[in-house]
């Protein structure tokens, strides 16, 4: 073959490549942020103040974009040159990583209800400066002069010796995305809504529960499918044709919330609204969510038990941890028990002090 000659195969290939019958292919590169939020509550600010320049209080680690992060609060400033009269706040990369690009927002919350929060946002300046790059574990972004200490201590940001710092992290990720070019959106499951309607209209109900004189109609198959205990009590008993059962160990409101979960797979509104006042914490075992935890354990509803544990976990404090730990131990709530023990270990001095004050 002479130089410059074209083989029949190459000619055919070139002809096909320019054929108008072929559709062009395409791809799309999408760069966006994976965002996450963490609230850091600093209780006992007056005790932390004076710990020394460069000394810090650190939040628990939280995960955003596949990386762990932590908030560092310096009540006496990060260093004497720039911030000895200021409090300093930083967000730090707490896991291994190199050249992690991210945007940040640190907000000091106004606790007066006026909504005049102090916001330092990297998101607002991202078009000008671009994301910040953290090179290694321990790299930080933040403000040495976050807020002048004298002003902070007379402001609405400090209430009952407590500060609240909200932190938003947006980790920058890039990917080739074909789904956005040709996508079909699938709605979230609505099976709970359909079963919830079944509970409300009672169509086809075949069993009635008597709970302290209050009647609840239900469906044997639904109960048996959700709870092995109900399945045994309904179908493995002497009389499988029984139409009514008496419940003696639950209050009507607790049994109603139990049925709500069994049919809808969610907590009822009453169970969701757990109070966090000191009055309610003094009698935590009498709250609906605590009694629902007991019912979940009684009927082997593990998902409901975890939901109750999650709600009770939000009410753990030095005053309530002992009572909540007792509940967790009694009703085999292993996740809640582990959280209580960890909290007790980290706040032992405060718990001992609260016992002497009682």
């Amino acid at each position: 073959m002479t130089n410059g000659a074209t083989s029949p195969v190459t000619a055919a290939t070139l002809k096909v490549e320019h054929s108008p019958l072929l559709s062009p292919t395409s791809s799309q590169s999408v760069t966006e942020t994976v965002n996450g939020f963490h609230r850091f509550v600093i209780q006992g600010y007056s005790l932390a103040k004076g710990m020394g320049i460069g000394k810090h209080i650190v939040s628990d680690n939280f995960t955003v974009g596949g990386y762990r992060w932590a908030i560092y609060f310096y009540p006496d400033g990060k260093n004497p040159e720039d911030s000895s009269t200021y409090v300093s706040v930083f967000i730090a990369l707490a896991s291994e990583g190199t050249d992690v690009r991210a945007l940040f927002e640190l907000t000091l919350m106004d606790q007066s209800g006026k909504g005049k929060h102090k916001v330092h946002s990297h998101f607002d300046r991202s078009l000008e400066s671009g994301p910040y790059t953290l090179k290694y574990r321990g790299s930080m972004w933040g403000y040495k002069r976050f807020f002048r200490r004298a002003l902070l201590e007379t402001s609405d940001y400090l209430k009952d010796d407590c500060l609240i710092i909200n932190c938003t992290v947006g980790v920058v990720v890039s990917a080739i995305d074909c789904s956005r070019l040709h996508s079909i959106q699938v709605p979230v499951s609505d099976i709970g809504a359909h079963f919830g309607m079944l509970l409300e209209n009672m169509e086809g109900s075949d069993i009635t529960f008597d709970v302290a004189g209050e009647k609840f109609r239900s469906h044997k198959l639904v109960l048996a499918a959700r709870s092995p205990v109900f399945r045994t009590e309904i179908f493995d008993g002497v009389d499988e044709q029984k139409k009514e059962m008496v419940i003696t160990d639950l209050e009507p409101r607790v049994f109603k919330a139990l049925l709500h979960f069994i049919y809808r797979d969610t907590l009822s509104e009453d169970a969701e609204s757990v109070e966090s006042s000191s009055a309610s914490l003094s009698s935590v075992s009498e709250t609906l969510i605590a009694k629902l935890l007991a019912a979940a354990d009684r009927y082997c509803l593990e998902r409901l038990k975890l939901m109750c544990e999650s709600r009770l976990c939000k009410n753990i404090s030095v005053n309530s941890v002992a009572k909540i730990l007792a509940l967790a131990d009694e009703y085999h709530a292993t996740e809640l028990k582990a959280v209580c023990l960890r909290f007790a270990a980290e706040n032992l001095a405060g718990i001992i002090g609260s016992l002497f004050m009682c």
Side-chain angles (χ1 to χ4, degrees):
M1 183 180 294
T2 59
N3 291 337
T6 304
S7 70
V9 174
T10 305
T13 302
L14 290 173
K15 184 176 182 180
V16 171
E17 287 176 348
H18 292 284
S19 170
L21 298 178
L22 289 179
S23 300
T25 60
S26 64
S27 62
Q28 179 180 3
S29 173
V30 178
T31 300
E32 56 190 0
T33 58
V34 176
N35 297 333
F37 172 84
H38 185 79
R39 171 166 291 183
F40 186 25
V41 179
I42 301 169
Q43 188 69 53
Y45 165 81
S46 61
L47 299 176
K49 185 179 68 170
M51 65 192 310
I53 296 174
K55 303 292 185 180
H56 61 262
I57 297 170
V58 62
S59 72
D60 196 7
N61 289 348
F62 57 97
T63 302
V64 180
Y67 297 95
R68 293 195 305 278
W69 307 86
I71 303 168
Y72 283 71
F73 177 72
Y74 298 81
D76 297 316
K78 195 170 187 299
N79 58 56
E81 293 80 12
D82 299 321
S83 55
S84 58
T85 59
Y86 290 79
V87 297
S88 306
V89 182
F90 284 79
I91 175 73
L93 180 63
S95 61
E96 297 300 332
T98 56
D99 295 335
V100 181
R101 302 175 68 237
L103 301 173
F104 307 97
E105 183 173 273
L106 290 167
T107 304
L108 188 60
M109 301 301 294
D110 176 3
Q111 300 185 68
S112 68
K114 301 174 185 176
K116 296 181 179 180
H117 312 305
K118 184 174 181 61
V119 181
H120 295 283
S121 182
H122 192 202
F123 286 83
D124 297 337
R125 303 197 306 271
S126 61
L127 291 178
E128 302 173 7
S129 59
Y132 187 80
T133 300
L134 295 102
K135 298 288 187 181
Y136 49 86
R137 179 179 181 178
S139 297
M140 290 184 167
W141 177 92
Y143 293 89
K144 297 176 183 176
R145 300 185 177 187
F146 185 74
F147 203 94
R148 190 178 291 274
R149 191 178 307 107
L151 294 178
L152 173 65
E153 294 173 359
T154 58
S155 71
D156 290 330
Y157 303 113
L158 181 65
K159 183 178 179 181
D160 298 330
D161 208 26
C162 174
L163 294 174
I164 300 174
I165 299 174
N166 287 345
C167 175
T168 301
V169 178
V171 178
V172 178
V173 296
S174 298
I176 298 297
D177 187 358
C178 298
S179 63
R180 298 192 179 191
L181 302 177
H182 306 286
S183 63
I184 298 174
Q185 297 297 319
V186 179
V188 297
S189 172
D190 57 358
I191 189 171
H194 288 295
F195 273 87
M197 291 300 297
L198 193 64
L199 177 64
E200 290 179 14
N201 60 36
M202 286 298 123
E203 183 178 355
S205 63
D206 54 2
I207 190 168
T208 301
F209 291 90
D210 183 335
V211 187
E214 192 169 336
K215 305 290 186 178
F216 296 89
R217 293 162 57 195
S218 188
H219 305 80
K220 292 181 180 179
L221 285 176
V222 175
L223 296 174
R226 296 285 276 159
S227 164
V229 176
F230 272 124
R231 183 168 61 248
T232 299
E233 292 180 351
I234 292 173
F235 292 117
D236 293 349
V238 176
D239 183 11
E240 294 187 10
Q241 302 303 315
K242 55 188 169 186
K243 300 293 184 181
E244 183 167 316
M245 292 180 64
V246 178
I247 303 295
T248 59
D249 55 352
L250 294 180
E251 298 175 15
R253 64 172 186 145
V254 178
F255 192 77
K256 182 179 180 180
L258 184 73
L259 286 180
H260 180 97
F261 169 79
I262 286 174
Y263 280 81
R264 292 187 177 272
D265 204 42
T266 61
L267 289 177
S268 64
E269 290 185 5
D270 291 340
E272 284 280 9
S273 57
V274 179
E275 296 181 1
S276 59
S277 67
S278 57
S280 66
L281 290 176
S282 64
S283 56
V284 64
S285 61
E286 295 302 312
T287 61
L288 175 58
I289 200 70
K291 293 183 177 182
L292 193 57
L293 173 67
D297 184 56
R298 158 82 169 81
Y299 288 99
C300 295
L301 296 166
E302 294 303 317
R303 176 172 163 78
L304 175 59
K305 194 153 74 170
L306 281 173
M307 287 180 171
C308 295
E309 291 180 60
S310 177
R311 296 298 301 175
L312 286 167
C313 181
K314 299 179 187 300
N315 280 28
I316 294 175
S317 68
V318 294
N319 295 318
S320 68
V321 64
K323 298 180 179 68
I324 295 177
L325 178 59
L327 281 175
D329 185 62
E330 181 176 1
Y331 300 119
H332 313 99
T334 55
E335 297 283 345
L336 181 60
K337 184 176 181 178
V339 173
C340 287
L341 291 174
R342 187 165 65 247
F343 179 90
E346 295 171 351
N347 298 273
L348 186 58
I351 294 171
I352 293 174
S354 69
L355 293 176
F356 281 110
M357 293 176 63
C358 293

